[in-house]
Short mmCIF file of all heavy atoms in Angstrom, two decimals:
data_model
loop_
_atom_site.label_atom_id
_atom_site.label_comp_id
_atom_site.label_asym_id
_atom_site.label_seq_id
_atom_site.Cartn_x
_atom_site.Cartn_y
_atom_site.Cartn_z
N GLU A 465 -7.59 -9.40 -6.50
CA GLU A 465 -7.47 -10.48 -5.56
C GLU A 465 -6.05 -10.70 -5.14
O GLU A 465 -5.77 -11.20 -4.06
CB GLU A 465 -8.03 -11.76 -6.20
CG GLU A 465 -9.49 -11.63 -6.55
CD GLU A 465 -10.28 -12.84 -6.09
OE1 GLU A 465 -9.71 -13.68 -5.40
OE2 GLU A 465 -11.46 -12.91 -6.43
N ASP A 466 -5.09 -10.38 -6.00
CA ASP A 466 -3.70 -10.60 -5.68
C ASP A 466 -3.12 -9.56 -4.77
O ASP A 466 -1.99 -9.65 -4.33
CB ASP A 466 -2.86 -10.65 -6.99
CG ASP A 466 -3.28 -11.84 -7.84
OD1 ASP A 466 -3.68 -12.88 -7.27
OD2 ASP A 466 -3.20 -11.72 -9.06
N ALA A 467 -3.90 -8.47 -4.51
CA ALA A 467 -3.39 -7.40 -3.67
C ALA A 467 -3.30 -7.86 -2.24
O ALA A 467 -4.17 -8.57 -1.75
CB ALA A 467 -4.32 -6.19 -3.75
N PRO A 468 -2.23 -7.51 -1.52
CA PRO A 468 -2.09 -7.94 -0.12
C PRO A 468 -3.16 -7.30 0.75
O PRO A 468 -3.42 -6.12 0.64
CB PRO A 468 -0.68 -7.42 0.26
CG PRO A 468 -0.42 -6.30 -0.69
CD PRO A 468 -1.13 -6.67 -1.97
N THR A 469 -3.76 -8.12 1.62
CA THR A 469 -4.82 -7.61 2.47
C THR A 469 -4.60 -7.91 3.96
O THR A 469 -5.24 -7.31 4.81
CB THR A 469 -6.18 -8.19 2.06
OG1 THR A 469 -6.11 -9.60 2.10
CG2 THR A 469 -6.54 -7.75 0.66
N ASP A 470 -3.74 -8.87 4.26
CA ASP A 470 -3.63 -9.32 5.64
C ASP A 470 -2.58 -8.62 6.45
O ASP A 470 -2.74 -8.40 7.63
CB ASP A 470 -3.36 -10.83 5.68
CG ASP A 470 -4.51 -11.61 5.07
OD1 ASP A 470 -5.66 -11.17 5.24
OD2 ASP A 470 -4.26 -12.64 4.45
N SER A 471 -1.45 -8.27 5.83
CA SER A 471 -0.37 -7.68 6.60
C SER A 471 0.47 -6.79 5.72
O SER A 471 0.55 -6.99 4.52
CB SER A 471 0.51 -8.79 7.19
OG SER A 471 1.08 -9.58 6.17
N PRO A 472 1.13 -5.78 6.30
CA PRO A 472 2.01 -4.90 5.53
C PRO A 472 3.25 -5.64 5.09
O PRO A 472 3.62 -6.67 5.63
CB PRO A 472 2.31 -3.77 6.50
CG PRO A 472 2.15 -4.39 7.85
CD PRO A 472 1.05 -5.39 7.71
N ALA A 473 3.95 -5.06 4.10
CA ALA A 473 5.20 -5.66 3.63
C ALA A 473 6.23 -5.63 4.77
O ALA A 473 6.26 -4.74 5.57
CB ALA A 473 5.71 -4.90 2.42
N ALA A 474 7.07 -6.66 4.78
CA ALA A 474 8.09 -6.74 5.82
C ALA A 474 9.01 -5.54 5.75
O ALA A 474 9.49 -5.17 4.68
CB ALA A 474 8.89 -8.03 5.66
N GLY A 475 9.26 -4.93 6.90
CA GLY A 475 10.19 -3.81 6.92
C GLY A 475 9.58 -2.51 6.46
O GLY A 475 10.28 -1.52 6.34
N ASP A 476 8.29 -2.48 6.22
CA ASP A 476 7.64 -1.26 5.75
C ASP A 476 7.14 -0.49 6.98
O ASP A 476 6.14 -0.86 7.57
CB ASP A 476 6.45 -1.61 4.83
CG ASP A 476 5.81 -0.36 4.25
OD1 ASP A 476 6.21 0.75 4.66
OD2 ASP A 476 4.92 -0.50 3.41
N PRO A 477 7.79 0.56 7.38
CA PRO A 477 7.41 1.28 8.59
C PRO A 477 6.08 2.00 8.48
O PRO A 477 5.48 2.36 9.47
CB PRO A 477 8.55 2.30 8.78
CG PRO A 477 9.07 2.53 7.40
CD PRO A 477 8.93 1.21 6.70
N SER A 478 5.61 2.23 7.27
CA SER A 478 4.36 2.97 7.11
C SER A 478 3.15 2.10 7.38
O SER A 478 2.07 2.59 7.62
CB SER A 478 4.26 3.55 5.69
OG SER A 478 4.11 2.50 4.76
N GLY A 479 3.34 0.76 7.32
CA GLY A 479 2.22 -0.14 7.53
C GLY A 479 1.24 -0.15 6.38
O GLY A 479 0.13 -0.63 6.50
N GLU A 480 1.63 0.38 5.22
CA GLU A 480 0.75 0.39 4.07
C GLU A 480 0.98 -0.88 3.24
O GLU A 480 1.87 -1.68 3.50
CB GLU A 480 1.05 1.62 3.19
CG GLU A 480 0.78 2.94 3.89
CD GLU A 480 -0.69 3.29 3.93
OE1 GLU A 480 -1.50 2.48 3.45
OE2 GLU A 480 -1.03 4.34 4.45
N GLU A 481 0.20 -1.05 2.15
CA GLU A 481 0.31 -2.21 1.31
C GLU A 481 1.58 -2.12 0.45
O GLU A 481 2.18 -1.07 0.29
CB GLU A 481 -0.91 -2.33 0.38
CG GLU A 481 -2.21 -2.51 1.13
CD GLU A 481 -2.82 -1.20 1.54
OE1 GLU A 481 -2.14 -0.17 1.54
OE2 GLU A 481 -4.02 -1.20 1.88
N GLU A 482 1.91 -3.26 -0.16
CA GLU A 482 3.04 -3.26 -1.09
C GLU A 482 2.66 -2.46 -2.32
O GLU A 482 1.50 -2.23 -2.61
CB GLU A 482 3.38 -4.71 -1.49
CG GLU A 482 3.96 -5.53 -0.35
CD GLU A 482 4.40 -6.88 -0.82
OE1 GLU A 482 4.77 -7.00 -2.01
OE2 GLU A 482 4.36 -7.84 -0.04
N GLU A 483 3.71 -2.06 -3.07
CA GLU A 483 3.47 -1.25 -4.25
C GLU A 483 2.68 -2.06 -5.29
O GLU A 483 2.86 -3.26 -5.44
CB GLU A 483 4.79 -0.78 -4.86
CG GLU A 483 5.53 0.22 -4.02
CD GLU A 483 6.22 -0.43 -2.83
OE1 GLU A 483 6.90 -1.43 -3.02
OE2 GLU A 483 6.08 0.09 -1.69
N GLU A 484 1.84 -1.36 -6.04
CA GLU A 484 1.00 -2.00 -7.02
C GLU A 484 1.28 -1.41 -8.40
O GLU A 484 1.71 -0.28 -8.52
CB GLU A 484 -0.48 -1.81 -6.66
CG GLU A 484 -0.84 -2.37 -5.31
CD GLU A 484 -2.13 -1.80 -4.78
OE1 GLU A 484 -2.26 -0.56 -4.80
OE2 GLU A 484 -3.00 -2.58 -4.35
N GLY A 485 0.99 -2.23 -9.41
CA GLY A 485 1.11 -1.72 -10.77
C GLY A 485 -0.06 -0.84 -11.11
O GLY A 485 -1.10 -0.85 -10.42
N PRO A 486 0.05 -0.07 -12.19
CA PRO A 486 -1.04 0.87 -12.57
C PRO A 486 -2.39 0.19 -12.71
O PRO A 486 -3.42 0.78 -12.36
CB PRO A 486 -0.54 1.43 -13.91
CG PRO A 486 0.95 1.28 -13.85
CD PRO A 486 1.20 0.02 -13.08
N SER A 487 -2.43 -1.04 -13.24
CA SER A 487 -3.70 -1.72 -13.45
C SER A 487 -4.33 -2.19 -12.16
O SER A 487 -5.51 -2.53 -12.12
CB SER A 487 -3.51 -2.90 -14.40
OG SER A 487 -2.62 -3.86 -13.82
N ASP A 488 -3.56 -2.23 -11.06
CA ASP A 488 -4.08 -2.70 -9.78
C ASP A 488 -4.54 -1.57 -8.88
O ASP A 488 -5.04 -1.82 -7.79
CB ASP A 488 -3.00 -3.50 -9.04
CG ASP A 488 -2.61 -4.77 -9.81
OD1 ASP A 488 -3.49 -5.35 -10.45
OD2 ASP A 488 -1.43 -5.15 -9.75
N LEU A 489 -4.34 -0.34 -9.30
CA LEU A 489 -4.66 0.79 -8.43
C LEU A 489 -6.18 0.93 -8.27
O LEU A 489 -6.93 0.90 -9.25
CB LEU A 489 -4.09 2.09 -9.01
CG LEU A 489 -2.56 2.17 -9.10
CD1 LEU A 489 -2.13 3.47 -9.73
CD2 LEU A 489 -1.93 2.00 -7.71
N LEU A 490 -6.61 1.10 -7.05
CA LEU A 490 -8.02 1.29 -6.77
C LEU A 490 -8.56 2.57 -7.41
O LEU A 490 -9.67 2.61 -7.92
CB LEU A 490 -8.23 1.33 -5.25
CG LEU A 490 -9.65 1.65 -4.75
CD1 LEU A 490 -10.62 0.57 -5.21
CD2 LEU A 490 -9.64 1.73 -3.22
N SER A 491 -7.72 3.60 -7.42
CA SER A 491 -8.16 4.91 -7.93
C SER A 491 -8.41 4.92 -9.43
O SER A 491 -9.06 5.82 -9.95
CB SER A 491 -7.12 5.98 -7.59
OG SER A 491 -5.86 5.66 -8.13
N THR A 492 -7.90 3.92 -10.15
CA THR A 492 -8.08 3.89 -11.60
C THR A 492 -9.21 2.94 -12.03
O THR A 492 -9.46 2.77 -13.21
CB THR A 492 -6.79 3.45 -12.31
OG1 THR A 492 -6.42 2.11 -11.86
CG2 THR A 492 -5.65 4.41 -12.01
#
C-alpha cells in the first residue's frame, strides 16, 4: 500500500516508480 501509484518520482526521467526495498518487490 505504501508503494507510489499516482505519479513518478520528481526528476525521474524514466517515469518509473521510486526504488523499493526487497520486501516490497512485486516479483518476490
